[in-house]
Amino acid sequence: MVLIQSLALPKVSSDDLYDGVKNGERWSFEFLERTLFSGHLLELNGDKDLAFDLYHDVILELYLKIIEGKLTKTDENGTGLVISWVKRHLDWKRRDYWKSSRYKDVVKLDEHHEQTCACFPEIENKIYFNQVITIIEKMTAKNRMILQDKLVDELEWKVIYQKYPLENQGSLRVLFSNSLKSLRVHLSQ
């Protein structure tokens, strides 16, 4: 029988702790809370409400697993079974929370951006247009002309071919494609 000991806590065997949780004995749940909650709280940067919610979700899952016989003493040879199970599941709960909170933050930023754009579309369009113009002005004359013809003037390829009769049609399309890629790269930086 392995003894589980924490600072200033009584010695409790893993089998006794398992039986205490299985029988719903108050001392076993208090022991788990005194042993694990403060470390869990530190991992969540002191957010007591969140730590409390996640901790109690895990304790409830533990109790149900033991009652339903899905977690038995023979698992992990009885060595720190309950404590290691709770630590592992608290870690998973924290990771799930962090993943979901990052997703929520991204969604909030997207919503804020959309609201800002809805309020000031002309400002955003002007800023973006000025960026595009600045980048295009730094390109070679040929690149500027093909982007001007295709993007700004919105000319069809037939008209562009007539405008540049000495240029190969395929070369014009490749020039446009490469100029557009260059523009995209500069805009994404």
Side-chain angles (χ1 to χ4, degrees):
M1 186 178 300
V2 176
L3 296 179
I4 302 169
Q5 183 178 4
S6 182
L7 296 174
L9 293 173
K11 293 181 180 179
V12 177
S13 75
S14 58
D15 290 339
D16 289 342
L17 185 58
Y18 178 89
D19 291 335
V21 171
K22 184 175 184 175
N23 297 328
E25 295 177 18
R26 183 182 182 131
W27 69 266
S28 63
F29 295 105
E30 289 173 353
F31 178 83
L32 285 171
E33 186 169 348
R34 286 187 309 215
T35 305
L36 302 171
F37 188 76
S38 61
H40 170 61
L41 181 61
L42 285 174
E43 289 288 331
L44 290 169
N45 300 322
D47 188 342
K48 290 181 182 178
D49 292 333
L50 177 62
F52 183 81
D53 290 343
L54 296 178
Y55 175 79
H56 284 281
D57 286 349
V58 169
I59 294 300
L60 179 61
E61 288 175 31
L62 169 71
Y63 179 71
L64 292 174
K65 291 279 186 198
I66 290 175
I67 293 298
E68 294 169 355
K70 294 180 180 176
L71 183 67
T72 61
K73 281 188 204 181
T74 58
D75 293 346
E76 297 186 27
N77 301 322
T79 307
L81 167 70
V82 173
I83 290 182
S84 65
W85 191 95
V86 172
K87 282 182 178 180
R88 185 171 51 248
H89 283 78
L90 283 173
D91 187 43
W92 293 344
K93 285 279 187 190
R94 285 191 301 267
R95 288 181 188 182
D96 287 346
Y97 171 76
W98 288 326
K99 287 177 187 175
S100 68
S101 66
R102 278 192 220 128
Y103 174 74
K104 289 176 189 172
D105 290 344
V106 169
V107 169
K108 285 179 187 174
L109 285 174
D110 286 346
E111 289 173 0
H112 176 71
H113 179 71
E114 287 176 13
Q115 290 171 352
T116 304
C117 291
C119 295
F120 306 105
E122 64 280 350
I123 293 173
E124 185 178 78
N125 289 340
K126 285 180 184 178
I127 292 170
Y128 184 75
F129 184 73
N130 287 337
Q131 277 182 311
V132 171
I133 295 299
T134 304
I135 293 168
I136 289 175
E137 286 175 351
K138 293 177 183 176
M139 293 181 164
T140 66
K142 262 187 165 180
N143 292 356
R144 283 195 310 265
M145 289 187 318
I146 194 76
L147 288 174
Q148 169 76 31
D149 291 341
K150 194 70 181 145
L151 296 180
V152 179
D153 297 337
E154 297 179 350
L155 298 177
E156 292 185 20
W157 282 111
K158 292 177 188 178
V159 177
I160 294 173
Y161 297 151
Q162 291 172 354
K163 189 173 179 180
Y164 305 102
L166 299 177
E167 294 289 332
N168 182 336
Q169 294 176 357
S171 297
L172 287 173
R173 285 183 180 259
V174 169
L175 178 64
F176 173 72
S177 177
N178 290 340
S179 301
L180 197 57
K181 284 179 189 174
S182 179
L183 180 61
R184 286 182 183 140
V185 166
H186 288 295
L187 284 174
S188 67
Q189 294 176 349

